[in-house]
Amino acid sequence: MSAAVLCCGRARVSVEADTALLNELTDACHPWITPSPADDVPPGTWAVRIGPNPAGEAVPSRTGVAVYVGAGERTLCLPPPASPGGMRPLMRLLRALMRRQLATDGAVFLNAAVLTLNSGGVALLGGAGAGKTTTLIAALNRHPGALVANDDASLHVGADGRVTARGYPRAIEVRREVLPHLAGAADMLTAAAEADSPKRALYVTPHRLAAALGTALAETAELSALVLLARGTGCPELHRLTVEAAACTVAAHLAAADPYESWLQSYLPAPSARPEQALALAHAVPVWRLAQPLTAVEFSADLLAELSVHPGG
């Protein structure tokens, strides 16, 4: 057995597991969650122990595996993965623990994809089917940059007014119906997809997506613009929103720090999103609306690359 303290910003979780399993877990979580020596464990750090015969009180976890609260209130016990693809439940639990800690530290969570283009950070807002993943892939396929987050990001407004966006290790879903709009990237995505992908979508890890596109992965990015994606019928157009309209737009896309492991609330409470957080973001970062048909997503990618250099317009 081996142990390590896994870090995500200022959040910490101690993990004890079989050496090979711990190495696989840290590789899958990199660069968003990184290890530090286990002999430097801050007081009150949550511990996750992965091994046979887990003991404690069973909780209604949605990770897909049995989770028990151990004798120590901040100790969680899980059985080892039953299959080679068993990293997903462990990563879900780690995300929940990390995100709850970061929410307490002031992080704001959004349904957003985040990427860097020309060293400028851009967050793409939108609901399901808005084109966040499609636009992100098109942009990274056409311009130098890095993938920070897909559909799931947190933002932190610093004392200096700068906004840092953070991503989390999470599989990416690409709907097969959008592949014709991604030109040369479509074949690369298909080759990089998981073998168990369903008929309607491709599942691909961030690492394999980055390798397929020849781009990088980044833990965080300093945000220069927020962009609300909307369906349009003509040539893609960017329109900057007023602070008031921007605050309403951002507020509509605020997300819970942890919408899945609600049983953790009594052990590690996470504050709810607040409207004033959306207003602070609207004051700190320009917010734009990008109306686009997915048939012109490559043109949109070029607009975003230009916006990353001139975020104010």
Side-chain angles (χ1 to χ4, degrees):
M1 299 287 282
S2 297
V5 176
L6 300 186
C7 310
C8 181
R10 294 171 63 175
R12 301 285 186 273
V13 175
S14 173
V15 179
E16 182 179 343
D18 173 81
T19 301
L21 175 62
L22 185 57
N23 289 339
E24 184 181 355
L25 180 62
T26 54
D27 285 347
C29 290
H30 182 80
W32 304 281
I33 298 175
T34 55
S36 66
D39 55 3
D40 184 23
V41 183
T45 299
W46 278 78
V48 175
R49 294 175 181 164
I50 306 166
N53 306 314
E57 178 186 354
V59 293
S61 172
R62 293 178 60 188
T63 59
V65 297
V67 177
Y68 303 85
V69 177
E73 192 176 79
R74 291 175 178 262
T75 302
L76 303 179
C77 304
L78 292 78
S83 65
M87 285 296 105
R88 292 173 189 168
L90 303 181
M91 292 166 69
R92 289 173 188 148
L93 185 60
L94 277 179
R95 282 201 308 265
L97 290 169
M98 298 292 193
R99 288 163 63 96
R100 284 176 170 273
Q101 293 176 61
L102 293 174
T104 303
D105 196 39
V108 183
F109 295 84
L110 290 173
N111 295 318
V114 179
L115 69 160
T116 65
L117 293 170
N118 302 313
S119 300
V122 178
L124 306 176
L125 304 178
K132 296 187 297 295
T133 301
T134 309
T135 307
L136 176 142
I137 291 172
L140 290 176
N141 189 45
R142 292 174 64 83
H143 300 279
L147 167 62
V148 179
N150 178 73
D151 197 44
D152 194 7
S154 63
L155 308 182
H156 188 89
V157 183
D160 58 0
R162 296 182 179 181
V163 179
T164 301
R166 173 176 295 280
Y168 299 89
R170 182 172 178 170
I172 296 168
E173 178 181 318
V174 184
R175 291 176 290 121
R176 293 183 189 269
E177 65 190 59
V178 306
L179 292 177
H181 307 314
L182 290 173
D187 291 340
M188 294 185 289
L189 289 170
T190 302
E194 300 286 334
D196 61 351
S197 295
K199 291 183 177 180
R200 64 178 180 79
L202 300 176
Y203 288 161
V204 58
T205 67
H207 301 81
R208 296 189 69 172
L209 176 63
L213 297 177
T215 192
L217 296 172
E219 174 190 10
T220 61
E222 184 178 327
L223 211 61
S224 24
L226 283 161
V227 178
L228 172 67
L229 298 179
R231 289 295 181 94
T233 56
C235 185
E237 291 184 302
L238 278 165
H239 297 281
R240 185 168 177 177
L241 303 181
T242 64
V243 170
E244 293 76 13
C248 292
T249 293
V250 174
H253 294 282
L254 292 177
D258 171 28
Y260 303 109
E261 301 299 286
S262 57
W263 60 271
L264 269 171
Q265 189 67 11
S266 59
Y267 298 97
L268 183 57
S272 300
R274 305 184 307 277
E276 57 266 30
Q277 293 175 312
L279 183 59
L281 286 171
H283 277 291
V285 181
V287 180
W288 297 77
R289 181 178 184 271
L290 173 58
Q292 61 168 3
L294 290 185
T295 52
V297 70
E298 292 190 326
F299 187 90
S300 296
D302 295 342
L303 287 179
L304 292 176
E306 185 176 349
L307 183 66
S308 68
V309 179
H310 306 287

